[in-house]
Amino acid sequence: AAARSASAAADSAADHAEKAADAAEEAARNAGKAVDYANRSTAAANAAVEAANKAYDAVTEAREVEKEAREAEIARLNEETEEAIEVAKQQRSEETDRLERANRERTQETRLSEELVALITTMEAAFADGRTGEAVDKGRQAAVLLLDRSGTWTREAAEFALAGSDEDVLRWIEADRVIALQQDNAENTAATAAISTQNVAEAATAALRTEDPAAIRTFLEKGAVEAARDDNEVEVTTLLADDSTGTAVRRAAEAALTDGSAEALHTFLHVKRAAAVHEDDKVAATTLLVSGGPYVQAAAKVALEGDTHMLRQFIGTTQHEFARIDHDHATHISAIRAAIARAAKTAQDALEDAARASEAAALARQAAEEATEWAGKAKGWAADAKASAEEARQNAEDAENSAAAAARSAQT
């Protein structure tokens, strides 16, 4: 919209300038004739002044439109940025909870909520004391909660109990729930063996062969981490050998290697590394927050509030896309301002021509003092026109440079 308004203003300025130039030429011709033409010369000069002033008013309006358009654009960008920041904060919070929970909840038992643990404890105590009514009531409540975030066997056993009679619920409390829990742990162990390294797979297989629920549970809690120690140590060492590894990641990796325990290496790779990557990317994003254009700065603000993936994606890829948008933005500003500056030069040339026409008309009327005054104005407008021409040239050069930078960002 700003571009179209500036273009219209420039066209209007050019039209008025042409009229002013025609009037100035006619005034100059008339000024050289006899006194009989003095009035006609004066009228033409006045028309030239009026047309030139309208042209300059159009340029002034174009400048105001351009200024308001930029302010509206930045206001819209700020509003969208604030909305995106709220979404990013939520994603960051969810990621932190997810990583910590995944590291903590290695067995079916550890995945139970405090509310669920309390219900199970109460129902088992009631069952042991012979209070079957209370046991069934608490058992049904616990079974409902187990329908969500539970293993396949545990969930199906809970569904069967809920669909059955009170005796089915009591049987579930007494044996079926624990059996299903053990089956889920065994299934998780088998799944771990299928996707892990040879050392972990062998440890998982050994645990499964015992058919001992306690041994399988111990594998999930500690054995898998212990079996992965050597592989994790190699992965951490490889990470440290990579020159692109950031400062925070390097510091956390060195601390894990110094500790040397299987738990420390595992925790670094599966929990702390994400936080360290986030810290390194945060430093890079903060730098862009200072050095980037308005769109890069807006994207950096959002990424800094977001999760590890969002920030990593911004540093690795999207910062270059937003840099291209910033360069396009700068190109557009320079191009529009160059057009306005050229329009200003045209209007100032028209004012100079009108002043010369008025000077000629004054001379035709033998008004030497007035002619001198118009001559002075003409010199001033000529100087303004020269300055506007230089401004237009500089803006055009800025636009060309910004366009080249945008192309480089797009290529990156």
Side-chain angles (χ1 to χ4, degrees), residues 374-397:
W374 280 110
K377 289 182 178 180
K379 287 180 181 179
W381 281 319
D384 290 343
K386 184 177 180 181
S388 292
E390 174 59 25
E391 181 184 353
R393 185 197 65 75
Q394 184 60 51
N395 278 316
E397 185 177 319

Side-chain angles (χ1 to χ4, degrees), residues 18-201:
E18 288 175 2
K19 291 178 182 177
D22 291 342
E25 289 175 5
E26 184 179 359
R29 287 195 300 272
N30 291 337
K33 296 180 181 179
V35 177
D36 292 341
Y37 293 99
N39 291 336
R40 187 179 176 187
S41 176
T42 301
N46 290 339
V49 171
E50 182 181 358
N53 284 331
K54 286 182 179 179
Y56 200 78
D57 289 342
V59 170
T60 302
E61 182 182 356
R63 282 196 169 119
E64 188 61 29
V65 167
E66 194 270 343
K67 177 175 175 290
E68 291 179 358
R70 295 303 163 197
E71 291 173 352
E73 178 184 18
I74 296 303
R76 175 187 56 77
L77 178 60
N78 290 340
E79 182 179 344
E80 292 178 354
T81 300
E82 290 301 319
E83 293 174 356
I85 283 175
E86 292 306 312
V87 175
K89 284 181 178 178
Q90 180 64 28
Q91 291 181 357
R92 173 63 173 162
S93 175
E94 290 173 358
E95 178 198 41
T96 301
D97 292 344
R98 187 170 61 251
L99 288 173
E100 292 177 351
R101 191 173 66 246
N103 188 49
R104 184 175 64 249
E105 298 175 355
R106 297 176 185 173
T107 64
Q108 288 299 310
E109 290 86 347
T110 54
R111 292 174 189 170
L112 303 179
S113 66
E114 291 182 6
E115 178 186 4
L116 193 48
V117 169
L119 278 172
I120 291 172
T121 302
T122 302
M123 77 177 186
E124 288 179 338
F127 181 81
D129 293 342
R131 291 177 278 117
T132 56
E134 182 183 353
V136 169
D137 180 56
K138 297 299 182 183
R140 289 190 183 279
Q141 292 180 43
V144 169
L145 293 178
L146 283 170
L147 296 178
D148 184 37
R149 279 188 60 200
S150 296
T152 304
W153 293 97
T154 297
R155 187 165 57 252
E156 288 186 356
E159 289 173 352
F160 184 82
L162 285 170
S165 63
D166 288 354
E167 287 73 17
D168 290 322
V169 175
L170 291 173
R171 188 163 47 250
W172 176 75
I173 295 172
E174 183 180 15
D176 291 352
R177 185 187 69 82
V178 176
I179 292 172
L181 201 65
Q182 293 169 353
Q183 287 172 317
D184 278 327
N185 281 339
E187 194 170 84
N188 288 344
T189 300
T192 300
I195 64 172
S196 298
T197 60
Q198 183 176 346
N199 291 338
V200 177

Side-chain angles (χ1 to χ4, degrees), residues 101-384:
R101 191 173 66 246
N103 188 49
R104 184 175 64 249
E105 298 175 355
R106 297 176 185 173
T107 64
Q108 288 299 310
E109 290 86 347
T110 54
R111 292 174 189 170
L112 303 179
S113 66
E114 291 182 6
E115 178 186 4
L116 193 48
V117 169
L119 278 172
I120 291 172
T121 302
T122 302
M123 77 177 186
E124 288 179 338
F127 181 81
D129 293 342
R131 291 177 278 117
T132 56
E134 182 183 353
V136 169
D137 180 56
K138 297 299 182 183
R140 289 190 183 279
Q141 292 180 43
V144 169
L145 293 178
L146 283 170
L147 296 178
D148 184 37
R149 279 188 60 200
S150 296
T152 304
W153 293 97
T154 297
R155 187 165 57 252
E156 288 186 356
E159 289 173 352
F160 184 82
L162 285 170
S165 63
D166 288 354
E167 287 73 17
D168 290 322
V169 175
L170 291 173
R171 188 163 47 250
W172 176 75
I173 295 172
E174 183 180 15
D176 291 352
R177 185 187 69 82
V178 176
I179 292 172
L181 201 65
Q182 293 169 353
Q183 287 172 317
D184 278 327
N185 281 339
E187 194 170 84
N188 288 344
T189 300
T192 300
I195 64 172
S196 298
T197 60
Q198 183 176 346
N199 291 338
V200 177
E202 288 175 353
T205 303
L208 287 170
R209 282 176 179 163
T210 66
E211 298 185 4
D212 179 4
I216 293 172
R217 178 174 174 175
T218 299
F219 166 79
L220 290 172
E221 291 175 340
K222 300 177 182 178
V225 171
E226 291 292 340
R229 186 203 171 284
D230 292 343
D231 293 321
N232 287 344
E233 185 176 43
V234 170
E235 186 175 351
V236 174
T237 303
T238 302
L239 191 65
L240 286 172
D242 187 347
D243 292 337
S244 66
T245 299
T247 303
V249 173
R250 189 174 296 279
R251 184 169 58 244
E254 288 172 347
L257 274 181
T258 300
D259 183 293
S261 67
E263 188 65 36
L265 293 169
H266 172 85
T267 301
F268 163 71
L269 288 173
H270 297 284
V271 180
K272 292 183 178 179
R273 177 165 59 172
V277 168
H278 193 275
E279 184 178 340
D280 283 329
D281 287 344
K282 192 173 182 179
V283 172
T286 302
T287 301
L288 290 171
L289 195 59
V290 176
S291 61
Y295 283 89
V296 167
Q297 289 181 1
K301 287 177 183 177
V302 176
L304 281 168
E305 296 292 348
D307 59 20
T308 301
H309 172 72
M310 182 183 292
L311 187 55
R312 178 94 291 275
Q313 192 174 38
F314 170 70
I315 295 300
T317 306
T318 55
Q319 64 154 309
H320 303 295
E321 296 176 8
F322 283 104
R324 178 183 57 77
I325 294 173
D326 270 329
H327 292 312
D328 286 343
H329 171 77
T331 302
H332 186 256
I333 290 176
S334 297
I336 290 298
R337 289 179 181 173
I340 292 175
R342 284 194 294 272
K345 181 185 181 303
T346 302
Q348 285 152 352
D349 284 343
L351 287 168
E352 181 192 3
D353 290 342
R356 296 294 183 195
S358 296
E359 177 192 8
L363 290 172
R365 297 195 310 274
Q366 296 182 346
E369 184 177 344
E370 185 181 350
T372 301
E373 181 183 345
W374 280 110
K377 289 182 178 180
K379 287 180 181 179
W381 281 319
D384 290 343

